[in-house]
Amino acid sequence: MRSILPLALIMGALAGLLVGGFMNVFNVPVMEWAIELEGAAAAAEAPAGEAEEEATGFLSTLETLGAQRIGLVLGLAVLGVVYGAIFTGLFHLVRRAFPGWNIWAWALIGGVLCFWSVSLFTQLKYPLNPPGIGEDGSLLARQGFQFLFILLSVVAVIAVTLVLRFTHEAGRESSQRFLAYAGTAAAYVVVAVALFAAIPGNPDPIPEWVPEGLIIMFRTFSILGHLLLWMIIALGVSSYTRYQERGLRATASPAAGQEMASASRQ
């Protein structure tokens, strides 16, 4: 099988465009709601003479957010390209760990592992919040710890796939292989729990003016967007690869038939 990297990068960009549309429809209104609430809270706390200036400032923020809808789509397209590269690496690791399976299984497992290690596990540690939540002073530290968490999470999943590959290549009996798989899963759980506990989380509290329903909606739509992104990449790569393979077989079959007919005439 040839490298799927170019195809995965293209699928990642397309997936980012599609998910960008999804986020514009579902999550941007939630972000606008959060900005309106932040503006109302700031205006209520400001002195009477500054209330009008606060309201004008937040109206301009809403206009900027509206203009950034296209930027959100383009940003997700770039993120999709990055995700396509990550998917390519884990796909090939899964393919070597389970060589007897088909491309649909490899792609699905690779997509699920990517979604877990990069998106879902990270959101459990660093829940996403809408605009206006979080202190500017802690932004750099939060982003640094979050990047470190994602990196170590992906490394842990890569280690699992490598152990599974070596277990399969060792040619052990079914009972020994089952114990090796169970031991690998238990070791990963221990590492994941240690990683979750060791790296500092988000220190910024949720302001009182933010309704719980807004937070739930924003985080739900965000994680659904990540799931769609990974699954579009995985299913898109596997579908197009299978389509190409069928086309090559269909092209090769008539040529093989002509060669056999020519040999029989001779």
Side-chain angles (χ1 to χ4, degrees):
M1 178 184 294
R2 292 183 296 180
S3 173
I4 65 167
L5 179 60
L7 177 59
L9 297 182
I10 294 172
M11 287 297 174
L14 293 175
L17 294 175
L18 292 174
V19 173
F22 170 85
M23 298 296 281
N24 267 305
V25 172
F26 292 98
N27 223 17
V28 169
V30 180
M31 296 167 63
E32 293 174 343
W33 181 21
I35 291 175
E36 290 175 356
L37 291 176
E38 183 187 11
E45 295 177 358
E50 299 179 4
E52 184 176 350
E53 295 181 3
E54 293 285 348
T56 303
F58 279 99
L59 283 176
S60 122
T61 303
L62 286 174
E63 292 174 359
T64 302
L65 179 60
Q68 288 178 344
R69 286 175 177 264
I70 297 177
L72 173 65
V73 175
L74 296 178
L76 284 171
V78 174
L79 181 64
V81 172
V82 176
Y83 279 9
I86 297 174
F87 171 80
T88 299
L90 277 174
F91 174 86
H92 285 298
L93 290 173
V94 170
R95 183 169 64 89
R96 290 179 173 87
F98 305 101
W101 295 13
N102 58 46
I103 189 172
W104 296 103
W106 296 331
L108 184 59
I109 294 174
V112 169
L113 291 179
C114 288
F115 171 67
W116 164 253
S117 60
V118 176
S119 301
L120 182 57
F121 191 34
T122 303
Q123 181 156 329
L124 293 175
K125 178 66 177 179
Y126 298 96
L128 296 175
N129 292 320
I133 300 177
E135 301 295 334
D136 293 337
S138 63
L139 179 62
L140 185 60
R142 283 187 282 118
Q143 290 181 340
F145 282 124
Q146 185 173 350
F147 177 78
L148 177 62
F149 187 86
I150 294 173
L151 178 63
L152 295 178
S153 176
V154 173
V155 169
V157 169
I158 290 174
V160 169
T161 59
L162 291 175
V163 171
L164 294 179
R165 174 188 174 184
F166 294 147
T167 300
H168 181 271
E169 292 177 349
R172 298 177 179 176
E173 298 180 356
S174 58
S175 59
Q176 294 177 334
R177 188 178 303 173
F178 173 79
L179 291 176
Y181 289 163
T184 302
Y188 173 77
V189 170
V190 172
V191 171
V193 171
L195 176 63
F196 195 91
I199 296 183
N202 184 0
D204 298 332
I206 303 295
E208 295 181 357
W209 51 263
V210 181
E212 184 179 357
L214 187 151
I215 297 294
I216 293 174
M217 289 174 62
F218 182 83
R219 292 174 179 174
T220 300
F221 291 140
S222 297
I223 201 63
L224 284 177
H226 279 264
L227 177 61
L228 287 173
L229 195 56
W230 287 116
M231 290 300 102
I232 291 173
I233 294 173
L235 297 178
V237 167
S238 56
S239 299
Y240 189 78
T241 302
R242 181 55 61 89
Y243 170 77
Q244 280 187 320
E245 291 175 351
R246 288 180 179 176
L248 291 174
R249 286 197 297 267
T251 304
S253 296
Q258 291 177 2
E259 291 179 0
M260 293 179 61
S262 176
S264 62
R265 285 196 299 267
Q266 294 175 357

